[in-house]
Amino acid sequence: MRQDPDHADYMTKWAKAYEGKNYDEGLAGFFLSRSHAWCEQRFSEKDHFGRVLEVGAGTGVHLRYVRHTFDEYVMTDLNPPMLEQAAKLAAGRVTVEAQDATQLTYGDDSFDRVIAAHILEHLPEPHKVIREWMRVLKPGGTLSIVLPCDPGFAWRFGRMLGPRKTFTRVGIDYDYWMAREHINSINNLVSFLRFYFHDLDEQWLPLRIPSMDANLFYIVHVTK
């Protein structure tokens, strides 16, 4: 039986290749970038949030798409290689901190907006994680979540055309790590969200019809 690949080595390679391979190459990269932009379409420079928390920020990709103003933007992640990349963006009102997205150290009602882009599919017991994110959100605040439509047909097809080949070339066993990382299916996550919240601002993109097989992303905004 083969040994499991080294997780630290995987994270180092993934962090180095993440933006260049995941976002800047091909049609898959284009749509992944669009998912962040689509999430922010609801807001404009006329909107303002005092304190913003991004959980699972990775290398900090989402920040470039934020359109609204803010007093403080806190990017968090738990993986050191990702934090090293994100730290390059820390300046002025933007800070970077090591945080476990499932057990945040912030107090109740601490943030006006919480952003979770492409992270909930990775986390065990997502129903508890959703509650944790709502705990740190102030009343009237907004929780924004971006999810891949995995294992929908369009997502699986796009993965085979782009990212799988790209990451394999840099020495990442893509199929193995995606099996370990994407542990929550989109249909289960949507079921949790619809159970907890009755007033959802949700979108299926890019086709805008409620189908996990026809779309690549599910984006939802929840007001506390």
Side-chain angles (χ1 to χ4, degrees):
M1 182 175 178
R2 293 175 62 184
Q3 295 293 319
D4 290 326
D6 183 71
H7 185 263
D9 178 66
Y10 157 70
M11 285 308 307
T12 299
K13 290 179 179 177
W14 185 263
K16 288 181 179 178
Y18 187 70
E19 287 194 42
K21 302 298 183 184
N22 226 21
Y23 287 90
D24 299 337
E25 293 188 6
L27 192 60
F30 168 79
F31 277 111
L32 196 55
S33 297
R34 289 303 303 163
S35 71
H36 295 275
W38 282 326
C39 177
E40 296 303 314
Q41 281 184 337
R42 175 178 174 175
F43 310 103
S44 72
E45 62 277 0
K46 296 180 181 179
D47 296 305
H48 181 82
F49 292 91
R51 297 188 73 203
V52 180
L53 171 67
E54 184 182 352
V55 292
T59 58
V61 172
H62 191 84
L63 179 61
R64 73 180 70 159
Y65 298 97
V66 173
R67 303 167 66 190
H68 62 72
T69 58
F70 52 82
D71 296 325
E72 181 184 11
Y73 193 104
V74 183
M75 289 191 292
T76 66
D77 205 282
L78 197 57
N79 294 305
M82 292 291 193
L83 289 169
E84 290 176 11
Q85 294 290 325
K88 298 175 183 178
L89 303 176
R93 295 170 295 165
V94 178
T95 58
V96 177
E97 298 179 358
Q99 285 280 338
D100 182 344
T102 70
Q103 294 180 311
L104 299 166
T105 63
Y106 308 111
D108 297 352
D109 306 333
S110 295
F111 293 92
D112 300 282
R113 187 184 181 202
V114 176
I115 302 170
H118 299 290
I119 177 175
L120 191 58
E121 66 272 22
H122 297 269
L123 302 177
E125 299 186 304
H127 58 296
K128 294 182 180 180
V129 177
I130 294 168
R131 289 188 176 279
E132 174 67 356
W133 294 346
M134 292 299 286
R135 178 186 68 80
V136 301
L137 189 65
K138 294 179 181 179
T142 300
L143 169 63
S144 302
I145 298 176
V146 182
L147 297 169
C149 289
D150 187 9
F153 174 78
W155 178 266
R156 288 185 287 112
F157 184 69
R159 173 186 282 177
M160 293 299 294
L161 288 180
R164 186 177 186 275
K165 295 179 180 178
T166 299
F167 283 100
T168 299
R169 284 199 300 267
V170 297
I172 293 174
D173 193 329
Y174 188 79
D175 292 338
Y176 172 89
W177 286 111
M178 289 303 99
R180 276 186 59 172
E181 292 285 339
H182 280 216
I183 61 176
N184 300 311
S185 66
I186 182 61
N187 48 312
N188 286 346
L189 293 175
V190 171
S191 293
F192 284 136
L193 289 164
R194 288 177 175 174
F195 175 83
Y196 288 128
F197 310 108
H198 298 294
D199 187 16
L200 294 175
D201 178 359
E202 58 182 2
Q203 291 182 297
W204 297 85
L205 294 158
L207 297 186
R208 300 182 183 276
I209 59 176
S211 167
M212 77 173 198
D213 288 309
N215 289 283
L216 296 171
F217 306 104
Y218 171 83
I219 298 172
V220 63
H221 303 281
V222 179
T223 301
K224 184 175 180 179

